[in-house]
Amino acid sequence: MQLKLTRPICFFDLETTGVNVAKDRVVEIAILKIHPNGNKESKTWLVNPEMVIPDEVIAVHGISNEKVANEPTFKELSKEIYNMIKDSDLGGFNSDRFDIPLLAEEMLRAEIDFDMKNRVAVDVQTIFHKMEKRTLGAAYKFYCDKDLIDAHSAAADTNATYEVLLAQLDRYPELENNMKMLAEFSSHKRTVDFAGFIILDDEEEEVFSFGKHKGKKVHDVLAKEPGYFSWILNADFPLYTKKILTQIKLSKLNNKLG
């Protein structure tokens, strides 16, 4: 099975200082880029997170503070990473809920205006859970009949993710070998921001998915309670969520002026 691609797709995996998208940082990133002609290129970077990696996290991925102390920061690597992925769709394992949101945060902190407007994302974990309900190691064993050696090594996880997707396409004839269709199938909900704080309702309008205004239209909330916008901008929300909320607010203002 070969992927049918109209443009490249970059499978990627992050090892991080923790699981808080707004606060935690990347310590390792691996990218496997598949081109429409079948050519592959891969790259792995260790990253100085500019913060302490907790002991309990080191126990998971084995990347110590000493190991990354003299590595470049994400900002220093950001242009090289962005140049590798900028023309590509994205693929990962639990990427919609973690890797892509955290990657976006790192890019925005590095002052690179990263977004997903002209690309799709295929989350192999979601396909796996919808089809079989189970971890990457289990998926690799189930689909590829291989044991995942060096789990939580970004490069091993990235290659396993790519192999699992190929095996999923072989196993399920109802899965279309098309990145847009796979992205739609592997998405959890129609999110506007990566973290899912703003989603689309049945009328295709942006609504909040959390807190006291859960289910309410963003435009209505901002009109009736302007301070809510300022609260979100100053609170501990992901930078990409703040960016999207600002765009929604400005679009409403521009419509009024127009």
Side-chain angles (χ1 to χ4, degrees):
M1 174 66 71
Q2 296 289 324
L3 294 180
K4 295 178 182 176
L5 302 174
T6 57
R7 59 181 166 190
I9 182 168
C10 284
F11 293 90
F12 78 103
D13 184 71
L14 306 178
E15 301 302 336
T16 66
T17 59
V19 295
N20 185 315
V21 168
K23 289 183 175 180
D24 282 305
R25 304 297 178 93
V26 171
V27 298
E28 185 180 32
I29 176 171
I31 299 174
L32 173 64
K33 187 170 185 176
I34 312 298
H35 293 270
N37 63 4
N39 288 347
K40 302 174 187 176
E41 56 182 303
S42 62
K43 181 75 175 177
T44 302
W45 299 266
L46 283 171
V47 184
N48 183 337
E50 301 180 277
M51 65 183 290
V52 174
I53 309 170
D55 290 341
E56 61 271 21
V57 178
I58 295 173
V60 173
H61 55 50
I63 300 172
S64 66
N65 290 287
E66 294 74 21
K67 189 172 183 179
V68 296
N70 296 316
E71 297 296 335
T73 65
F74 190 91
K75 186 168 186 177
E76 291 169 332
L77 293 168
S78 59
K79 289 183 180 178
E80 183 181 0
I81 294 170
Y82 183 70
N83 285 337
M84 190 168 182
I85 68 173
K86 66 182 180 181
D87 63 342
S88 306
D89 293 327
L90 298 179
F93 196 86
N94 193 32
S95 50
D96 278 0
R97 289 185 290 185
F98 181 70
D99 296 85
I100 291 176
L102 202 146
L103 178 65
E105 290 302 291
E106 290 280 32
M107 286 292 182
L108 291 172
R109 277 192 287 263
E111 300 179 345
I112 291 179
D113 192 18
F114 177 85
D115 62 45
M116 293 290 292
K117 287 179 183 176
N118 299 311
R119 68 179 96 207
V120 299
V122 178
D123 193 329
V124 172
Q125 185 194 59
T126 304
I127 296 174
F128 178 39
H129 286 175
K130 283 188 174 182
M131 292 297 191
E132 305 295 343
K133 315 290 182 193
R134 294 172 210 190
T135 64
L136 179 55
Y140 199 47
K141 183 67 175 177
F142 181 85
Y143 288 109
C144 305
D145 197 25
K146 298 177 183 177
D147 293 318
L148 180 54
I149 309 300
D150 294 330
H152 295 294
S153 154
D157 289 356
T158 298
N159 280 287
T161 299
Y162 168 58
E163 289 185 42
V164 167
L165 179 58
L166 295 180
Q168 286 173 331
L169 289 167
D170 276 329
R171 180 177 288 266
Y172 307 116
E174 65 268 38
L175 281 181
E176 188 173 341
N177 191 346
N178 172 283
M179 293 306 106
K180 186 173 185 297
M181 297 300 295
L182 290 171
E184 290 173 358
F185 186 83
S186 64
S187 66
H188 291 278
K189 54 186 176 180
R190 298 183 301 165
T191 59
V192 181
D193 65 328
F194 293 133
F197 289 109
I198 303 171
I199 62 176
L200 293 176
D201 64 10
D202 292 338
E203 298 171 350
E204 299 294 318
E205 292 197 43
E206 299 96 345
V207 299
F208 287 111
S209 67
F210 70 98
K212 64 179 182 178
H213 293 306
K214 183 176 182 179
K216 295 180 183 178
K217 297 184 188 303
V218 174
H219 286 313
D220 293 345
V221 172
L222 297 185
K224 294 175 183 176
E225 193 178 331
Y228 198 64
F229 175 75
S230 298
W231 174 74
I232 290 178
L233 288 193
N234 291 303
D236 192 22
F237 285 92
L239 294 175
Y240 196 80
T241 299
K242 296 176 182 180
K243 173 186 172 180
I244 292 297
L245 189 63
T246 302
Q247 289 175 347
I248 294 170
K249 183 179 174 67
L250 290 175
S251 71
K252 190 68 171 180
L253 180 61
N254 290 336
N255 288 341
K256 284 183 179 179
L257 293 175

mmCIF file of all heavy atoms in Angstrom, residues 32-71:
data_model
loop_
_atom_site.group_PDB
_atom_site.id
_atom_site.type_symbol
_atom_site.label_atom_id
_atom_site.label_comp_id
_atom_site.label_asym_id
_atom_site.label_seq_id
_atom_site.Cartn_x
_atom_site.Cartn_y
_atom_site.Cartn_z
ATOM 1 N N LEU A 32 8.990 12.677 9.733
ATOM 2 C CA LEU A 32 9.163 11.797 8.577
ATOM 3 C C LEU A 32 8.289 12.359 7.460
ATOM 4 O O LEU A 32 7.065 12.347 7.558
ATOM 5 C CB LEU A 32 8.737 10.366 8.911
ATOM 6 C CG LEU A 32 8.703 9.370 7.749
ATOM 7 C CD1 LEU A 32 10.104 9.159 7.180
ATOM 8 C CD2 LEU A 32 8.095 8.033 8.195
ATOM 9 N N LYS A 33 8.921 12.880 6.424
ATOM 10 C CA LYS A 33 8.195 13.530 5.322
ATOM 11 C C LYS A 33 8.085 12.573 4.141
ATOM 12 O O LYS A 33 9.096 12.073 3.636
ATOM 13 C CB LYS A 33 8.917 14.810 4.904
ATOM 14 C CG LYS A 33 8.169 15.659 3.876
ATOM 15 C CD LYS A 33 8.843 17.017 3.714
ATOM 16 C CE LYS A 33 8.050 17.925 2.799
ATOM 17 N NZ LYS A 33 8.659 19.284 2.724
ATOM 18 N N ILE A 34 6.841 12.318 3.719
ATOM 19 C CA ILE A 34 6.577 11.439 2.584
ATOM 20 C C ILE A 34 6.115 12.307 1.412
ATOM 21 O O ILE A 34 5.135 13.049 1.525
ATOM 22 C CB ILE A 34 5.476 10.405 2.912
ATOM 23 C CG1 ILE A 34 5.741 9.731 4.265
ATOM 24 C CG2 ILE A 34 5.372 9.374 1.788
ATOM 25 C CD1 ILE A 34 7.015 8.954 4.349
ATOM 26 N N HIS A 35 6.808 12.200 0.293
ATOM 27 C CA HIS A 35 6.475 13.002 -0.885
ATOM 28 C C HIS A 35 5.521 12.220 -1.801
ATOM 29 O O HIS A 35 5.468 10.980 -1.749
ATOM 30 C CB HIS A 35 7.750 13.367 -1.642
ATOM 31 C CG HIS A 35 8.648 14.297 -0.886
ATOM 32 N ND1 HIS A 35 8.547 15.669 -0.987
ATOM 33 C CD2 HIS A 35 9.646 14.056 0.002
ATOM 34 C CE1 HIS A 35 9.452 16.234 -0.210
ATOM 35 N NE2 HIS A 35 10.135 15.279 0.412
ATOM 36 N N PRO A 36 4.759 12.925 -2.644
ATOM 37 C CA PRO A 36 3.824 12.238 -3.555
ATOM 38 C C PRO A 36 4.473 11.182 -4.430
ATOM 39 O O PRO A 36 3.839 10.199 -4.807
ATOM 40 C CB PRO A 36 3.254 13.394 -4.385
ATOM 41 C CG PRO A 36 3.316 14.573 -3.480
ATOM 42 C CD PRO A 36 4.593 14.396 -2.713
ATOM 43 N N ASN A 37 5.762 11.353 -4.752
ATOM 44 C CA ASN A 37 6.455 10.355 -5.594
ATOM 45 C C ASN A 37 6.986 9.180 -4.785
ATOM 46 O O ASN A 37 7.637 8.287 -5.330
ATOM 47 C CB ASN A 37 7.591 11.003 -6.376
ATOM 48 C CG ASN A 37 8.691 11.570 -5.489
ATOM 49 O OD1 ASN A 37 8.641 11.422 -4.268
ATOM 50 N ND2 ASN A 37 9.667 12.223 -6.097
ATOM 51 N N GLY A 38 6.713 9.169 -3.462
ATOM 52 C CA GLY A 38 7.150 8.079 -2.605
ATOM 53 C C GLY A 38 8.474 8.310 -1.904
ATOM 54 O O GLY A 38 8.850 7.529 -1.024
ATOM 55 N N ASN A 39 9.173 9.358 -2.284
ATOM 56 C CA ASN A 39 10.434 9.664 -1.609
ATOM 57 C C ASN A 39 10.189 10.049 -0.151
ATOM 58 O O ASN A 39 9.149 10.619 0.190
ATOM 59 C CB ASN A 39 11.162 10.814 -2.318
ATOM 60 C CG ASN A 39 11.740 10.398 -3.660
ATOM 61 O OD1 ASN A 39 11.815 9.207 -3.967
ATOM 62 N ND2 ASN A 39 12.136 11.364 -4.471
ATOM 63 N N LYS A 40 11.166 9.732 0.693
ATOM 64 C CA LYS A 40 11.043 10.024 2.117
ATOM 65 C C LYS A 40 12.264 10.814 2.576
ATOM 66 O O LYS A 40 13.366 10.645 2.059
ATOM 67 C CB LYS A 40 10.981 8.726 2.935
ATOM 68 C CG LYS A 40 9.862 7.783 2.565
ATOM 69 C CD LYS A 40 10.001 6.474 3.344
ATOM 70 C CE LYS A 40 9.005 5.439 2.873
ATOM 71 N NZ LYS A 40 9.210 4.135 3.556
ATOM 72 N N GLU A 41 12.035 11.664 3.546
ATOM 73 C CA GLU A 41 13.144 12.312 4.235
ATOM 74 C C GLU A 41 12.771 12.408 5.709
ATOM 75 O O GLU A 41 11.593 12.557 6.058
ATOM 76 C CB GLU A 41 13.458 13.692 3.659
ATOM 77 C CG GLU A 41 12.283 14.673 3.638
ATOM 78 C CD GLU A 41 12.665 15.997 3.011
ATOM 79 O OE1 GLU A 41 13.628 16.638 3.509
ATOM 80 O OE2 GLU A 41 11.986 16.414 2.053
ATOM 81 N N SER A 42 13.744 12.280 6.582
ATOM 82 C CA SER A 42 13.460 12.304 8.007
ATOM 83 C C SER A 42 14.499 13.118 8.747
ATOM 84 O O SER A 42 15.649 13.249 8.300
ATOM 85 C CB SER A 42 13.401 10.881 8.579
ATOM 86 O OG SER A 42 14.648 10.237 8.428
ATOM 87 N N LYS A 43 14.087 13.662 9.846
ATOM 88 C CA LYS A 43 14.974 14.488 10.658
ATOM 89 C C LYS A 43 14.506 14.433 12.106
ATOM 90 O O LYS A 43 13.307 14.448 12.382
ATOM 91 C CB LYS A 43 14.933 15.931 10.149
ATOM 92 C CG LYS A 43 15.830 16.907 10.885
ATOM 93 C CD LYS A 43 17.292 16.751 10.524
ATOM 94 C CE LYS A 43 18.142 17.813 11.192
ATOM 95 N NZ LYS A 43 19.570 17.655 10.923
ATOM 96 N N THR A 44 15.458 14.349 13.034
ATOM 97 C CA THR A 44 15.158 14.365 14.461
ATOM 98 C C THR A 44 16.028 15.414 15.135
ATOM 99 O O THR A 44 17.223 15.496 14.860
ATOM 100 C CB THR A 44 15.411 12.983 15.099
ATOM 101 O OG1 THR A 44 14.608 12.002 14.444
ATOM 102 C CG2 THR A 44 15.057 13.006 16.587
ATOM 103 N N TRP A 45 15.412 16.218 15.979
ATOM 104 C CA TRP A 45 16.137 17.243 16.715
ATOM 105 C C TRP A 45 15.915 17.064 18.216
ATOM 106 O O TRP A 45 14.781 16.864 18.660
ATOM 107 C CB TRP A 45 15.644 18.646 16.379
ATOM 108 C CG TRP A 45 15.773 19.108 14.976
ATOM 109 C CD1 TRP A 45 16.794 19.833 14.425
ATOM 110 C CD2 TRP A 45 14.811 18.953 13.908
ATOM 111 N NE1 TRP A 45 16.539 20.127 13.108
ATOM 112 C CE2 TRP A 45 15.331 19.596 12.758
ATOM 113 C CE3 TRP A 45 13.561 18.315 13.818
ATOM 114 C CZ2 TRP A 45 14.649 19.632 11.549
ATOM 115 C CZ3 TRP A 45 12.884 18.336 12.620
ATOM 116 C CH2 TRP A 45 13.432 18.985 11.495
ATOM 117 N N LEU A 46 16.980 17.156 19.002
ATOM 118 C CA LEU A 46 16.849 17.360 20.436
ATOM 119 C C LEU A 46 16.741 18.859 20.670
ATOM 120 O O LEU A 46 17.364 19.651 19.957
ATOM 121 C CB LEU A 46 18.055 16.795 21.183
ATOM 122 C CG LEU A 46 18.099 15.277 21.353
ATOM 123 C CD1 LEU A 46 19.450 14.840 21.907
ATOM 124 C CD2 LEU A 46 16.969 14.794 22.271
ATOM 125 N N VAL A 47 15.941 19.239 21.670
ATOM 126 C CA VAL A 47 15.623 20.653 21.870
ATOM 127 C C VAL A 47 15.821 21.033 23.340
ATOM 128 O O VAL A 47 15.353 20.316 24.240
ATOM 129 C CB VAL A 47 14.159 20.950 21.468
ATOM 130 C CG1 VAL A 47 13.862 22.441 21.573
ATOM 131 C CG2 VAL A 47 13.867 20.443 20.055
ATOM 132 N N ASN A 48 16.489 22.140 23.559
ATOM 133 C CA ASN A 48 16.589 22.689 24.919
ATOM 134 C C ASN A 48 15.262 23.381 25.238
ATOM 135 O O ASN A 48 14.927 24.389 24.609
ATOM 136 C CB ASN A 48 17.743 23.689 24.993
ATOM 137 C CG ASN A 48 17.945 24.243 26.393
ATOM 138 O OD1 ASN A 48 17.047 24.250 27.220
ATOM 139 N ND2 ASN A 48 19.144 24.731 26.655
ATOM 140 N N PRO A 49 14.485 22.873 26.210
ATOM 141 C CA PRO A 49 13.159 23.432 26.472
ATOM 142 C C PRO A 49 13.187 24.721 27.289
ATOM 143 O O PRO A 49 12.133 25.328 27.511
ATOM 144 C CB PRO A 49 12.469 22.313 27.254
ATOM 145 C CG PRO A 49 13.584 21.656 27.995
ATOM 146 C CD PRO A 49 14.773 21.706 27.071
ATOM 147 N N GLU A 50 14.342 25.108 27.764
ATOM 148 C CA GLU A 50 14.487 26.326 28.584
ATOM 149 C C GLU A 50 13.658 26.243 29.872
ATOM 150 O O GLU A 50 13.200 27.246 30.403
ATOM 151 C CB GLU A 50 14.119 27.577 27.788
ATOM 152 C CG GLU A 50 14.962 27.771 26.537
ATOM 153 C CD GLU A 50 14.595 29.005 25.750
ATOM 154 O OE1 GLU A 50 13.638 28.922 24.955
ATOM 155 O OE2 GLU A 50 15.255 30.045 25.934
ATOM 156 N N MET A 51 13.451 25.023 30.326
ATOM 157 C CA MET A 51 12.788 24.780 31.601
ATOM 158 C C MET A 51 13.220 23.392 32.082
ATOM 159 O O MET A 51 13.767 22.604 31.307
ATOM 160 C CB MET A 51 11.264 24.860 31.479
ATOM 161 C CG MET A 51 10.634 23.786 30.599
ATOM 162 S SD MET A 51 8.827 23.959 30.421
ATOM 163 C CE MET A 51 8.279 23.530 32.072
ATOM 164 N N VAL A 52 12.995 23.117 33.348
ATOM 165 C CA VAL A 52 13.395 21.833 33.921
ATOM 166 C C VAL A 52 12.443 20.734 33.468
ATOM 167 O O VAL A 52 11.219 20.901 33.489
ATOM 168 C CB VAL A 52 13.432 21.906 35.460
ATOM 169 C CG1 VAL A 52 13.717 20.530 36.062
ATOM 170 C CG2 VAL A 52 14.498 22.910 35.909
ATOM 171 N N ILE A 53 12.992 19.606 33.043
ATOM 172 C CA ILE A 53 12.177 18.434 32.709
ATOM 173 C C ILE A 53 11.943 17.662 34.013
ATOM 174 O O ILE A 53 12.907 17.222 34.654
ATOM 175 C CB ILE A 53 12.885 17.521 31.698
ATOM 176 C CG1 ILE A 53 13.366 18.307 30.485
ATOM 177 C CG2 ILE A 53 11.952 16.383 31.266
ATOM 178 C CD1 ILE A 53 14.276 17.513 29.556
ATOM 179 N N PRO A 54 10.697 17.463 34.444
ATOM 180 C CA PRO A 54 10.438 16.747 35.699
ATOM 181 C C PRO A 54 10.928 15.301 35.651
ATOM 182 O O PRO A 54 10.953 14.668 34.597
ATOM 183 C CB PRO A 54 8.905 16.797 35.813
ATOM 184 C CG PRO A 54 8.482 17.938 34.946
ATOM 185 C CD PRO A 54 9.469 17.966 33.815
ATOM 186 N N ASP A 55 11.313 14.790 36.807
ATOM 187 C CA ASP A 55 11.841 13.421 36.889
ATOM 188 C C ASP A 55 10.844 12.391 36.372
ATOM 189 O O ASP A 55 11.229 11.423 35.703
ATOM 190 C CB ASP A 55 12.214 13.087 38.340
ATOM 191 C CG ASP A 55 13.446 13.855 38.809
ATOM 192 O OD1 ASP A 55 14.209 14.338 37.945
ATOM 193 O OD2 ASP A 55 13.636 13.973 40.031
ATOM 194 N N GLU A 56 9.548 12.588 36.686
ATOM 195 C CA GLU A 56 8.545 11.608 36.255
ATOM 196 C C GLU A 56 8.387 11.582 34.739
ATOM 197 O O GLU A 56 7.998 10.566 34.154
ATOM 198 C CB GLU A 56 7.195 11.873 36.927
ATOM 199 C CG GLU A 56 6.547 13.215 36.630
ATOM 200 C CD GLU A 56 6.957 14.320 37.608
ATOM 201 O OE1 GLU A 56 8.016 14.183 38.254
ATOM 202 O OE2 GLU A 56 6.199 15.300 37.706
ATOM 203 N N VAL A 57 8.682 12.707 34.075
ATOM 204 C CA VAL A 57 8.618 12.757 32.615
ATOM 205 C C VAL A 57 9.874 12.130 32.011
ATOM 206 O O VAL A 57 9.799 11.401 31.017
ATOM 207 C CB VAL A 57 8.448 14.217 32.135
ATOM 208 C CG1 VAL A 57 8.425 14.275 30.611
ATOM 209 C CG2 VAL A 57 7.160 14.812 32.705
ATOM 210 N N ILE A 58 11.025 12.388 32.632
ATOM 211 C CA ILE A 58 12.277 11.756 32.173
ATOM 212 C C ILE A 58 12.144 10.233 32.226
ATOM 213 O O ILE A 58 12.641 9.521 31.349
ATOM 214 C CB ILE A 58 13.462 12.221 33.046
ATOM 215 C CG1 ILE A 58 13.698 13.727 32.859
ATOM 216 C CG2 ILE A 58 14.736 11.440 32.689
ATOM 217 C CD1 ILE A 58 14.727 14.308 33.807
ATOM 218 N N ALA A 59 11.428 9.735 33.246
ATOM 219 C CA ALA A 59 11.237 8.285 33.388
ATOM 220 C C ALA A 59 10.454 7.699 32.218
ATOM 221 O O ALA A 59 10.600 6.518 31.891
ATOM 222 C CB ALA A 59 10.522 7.984 34.704
ATOM 223 N N VAL A 60 9.648 8.538 31.543
ATOM 224 C CA VAL A 60 8.842 8.069 30.405
ATOM 225 C C VAL A 60 9.665 8.051 29.122
ATOM 226 O O VAL A 60 9.739 7.035 28.434
ATOM 227 C CB VAL A 60 7.583 8.950 30.230
ATOM 228 C CG1 VAL A 60 6.838 8.557 28.949
ATOM 229 C CG2 VAL A 60 6.668 8.830 31.437
ATOM 230 N N HIS A 61 10.293 9.206 28.778
ATOM 231 C CA HIS A 61 10.984 9.252 27.485
ATOM 232 C C HIS A 61 12.506 9.167 27.570
ATOM 233 O O HIS A 61 13.178 9.041 26.539
ATOM 234 C CB HIS A 61 10.565 10.477 26.664
ATOM 235 C CG HIS A 61 10.725 11.809 27.345
ATOM 236 N ND1 HIS A 61 11.872 12.212 27.978
ATOM 237 C CD2 HIS A 61 9.853 12.848 27.448
ATOM 238 C CE1 HIS A 61 11.711 13.442 28.440
ATOM 239 N NE2 HIS A 61 10.495 13.844 28.156
ATOM 240 N N GLY A 62 13.065 9.248 28.778
ATOM 241 C CA GLY A 62 14.500 9.040 28.945
ATOM 242 C C GLY A 62 15.377 10.206 28.526
ATOM 243 O O GLY A 62 16.603 10.062 28.434
ATOM 244 N N ILE A 63 14.775 11.361 28.260
ATOM 245 C CA ILE A 63 15.556 12.536 27.857
ATOM 246 C C ILE A 63 15.791 13.404 29.091
ATOM 247 O O ILE A 63 14.860 14.006 29.622
ATOM 248 C CB ILE A 63 14.839 13.330 26.748
ATOM 249 C CG1 ILE A 63 14.635 12.439 25.524
ATOM 250 C CG2 ILE A 63 15.639 14.581 26.381
ATOM 251 C CD1 ILE A 63 13.769 13.059 24.446
ATOM 252 N N SER A 64 17.025 13.442 29.549
ATOM 253 C CA SER A 64 17.350 14.144 30.786
ATOM 254 C C SER A 64 17.650 15.613 30.525
ATOM 255 O O SER A 64 17.878 16.041 29.382
ATOM 256 C CB SER A 64 18.572 13.498 31.445
ATOM 257 O OG SER A 64 19.719 13.679 30.617
ATOM 258 N N ASN A 65 17.691 16.385 31.603
ATOM 259 C CA ASN A 65 18.048 17.802 31.491
ATOM 260 C C ASN A 65 19.466 17.965 30.961
ATOM 261 O O ASN A 65 19.737 18.869 30.156
ATOM 262 C CB ASN A 65 17.905 18.478 32.856
ATOM 263 C CG ASN A 65 16.454 18.596 33.281
ATOM 264 O OD1 ASN A 65 15.701 19.405 32.755
ATOM 265 N ND2 ASN A 65 16.049 17.771 34.234
ATOM 266 N N GLU A 66 20.375 17.069 31.383
ATOM 267 C CA GLU A 66 21.757 17.142 30.930
ATOM 268 C C GLU A 66 21.861 16.879 29.423
ATOM 269 O O GLU A 66 22.680 17.483 28.721
ATOM 270 C CB GLU A 66 22.624 16.129 31.690
ATOM 271 C CG GLU A 66 22.779 16.406 33.178
ATOM 272 C CD GLU A 66 21.520 16.086 33.992
ATOM 273 O OE1 GLU A 66 20.673 15.291 33.498
ATOM 274 O OE2 GLU A 66 21.395 16.636 35.101
ATOM 275 N N LYS A 67 21.009 15.990 28.923
ATOM 276 C CA LYS A 67 21.076 15.601 27.515
ATOM 277 C C LYS A 67 20.730 16.763 26.581
ATOM 278 O O LYS A 67 21.236 16.842 25.456
ATOM 279 C CB LYS A 67 20.127 14.425 27.257
ATOM 280 C CG LYS A 67 20.275 13.798 25.878
ATOM 281 C CD LYS A 67 19.447 12.535 25.761
ATOM 282 C CE LYS A 67 19.648 11.860 24.407
ATOM 283 N NZ LYS A 67 18.857 10.611 24.284
ATOM 284 N N VAL A 68 19.855 17.657 27.031
ATOM 285 C CA VAL A 68 19.416 18.755 26.160
ATOM 286 C C VAL A 68 20.013 20.109 26.547
ATOM 287 O O VAL A 68 19.717 21.120 25.902
ATOM 288 C CB VAL A 68 17.871 18.860 26.143
ATOM 289 C CG1 VAL A 68 17.264 17.614 25.531
ATOM 290 C CG2 VAL A 68 17.315 19.098 27.548
ATOM 291 N N ALA A 69 20.851 20.115 27.583
ATOM 292 C CA ALA A 69 21.378 21.391 28.104
ATOM 293 C C ALA A 69 22.096 22.213 27.034
ATOM 294 O O ALA A 69 21.988 23.443 27.007
ATOM 295 C CB ALA A 69 22.306 21.128 29.286
ATOM 296 N N ASN A 70 22.827 21.547 26.140
ATOM 297 C CA ASN A 70 23.600 22.267 25.123
ATOM 298 C C ASN A 70 22.979 22.198 23.729
ATOM 299 O O ASN A 70 23.627 22.542 22.731
ATOM 300 C CB ASN A 70 25.031 21.716 25.075
ATOM 301 C CG ASN A 70 25.781 21.946 26.377
ATOM 302 O OD1 ASN A 70 25.714 23.033 26.956
ATOM 303 N ND2 ASN A 70 26.474 20.916 26.850
ATOM 304 N N GLU A 71 21.716 21.744 23.660
ATOM 305 C CA GLU A 71 21.014 21.675 22.375
ATOM 306 C C GLU A 71 20.375 23.035 22.053
ATOM 307 O O GLU A 71 20.145 23.848 22.955
ATOM 308 C CB GLU A 71 19.936 20.587 22.421
ATOM 309 C CG GLU A 71 20.474 19.186 22.631
ATOM 310 C CD GLU A 71 21.344 18.695 21.493
ATOM 311 O OE1 GLU A 71 21.188 19.179 20.353
ATOM 312 O OE2 GLU A 71 22.203 17.821 21.755
#
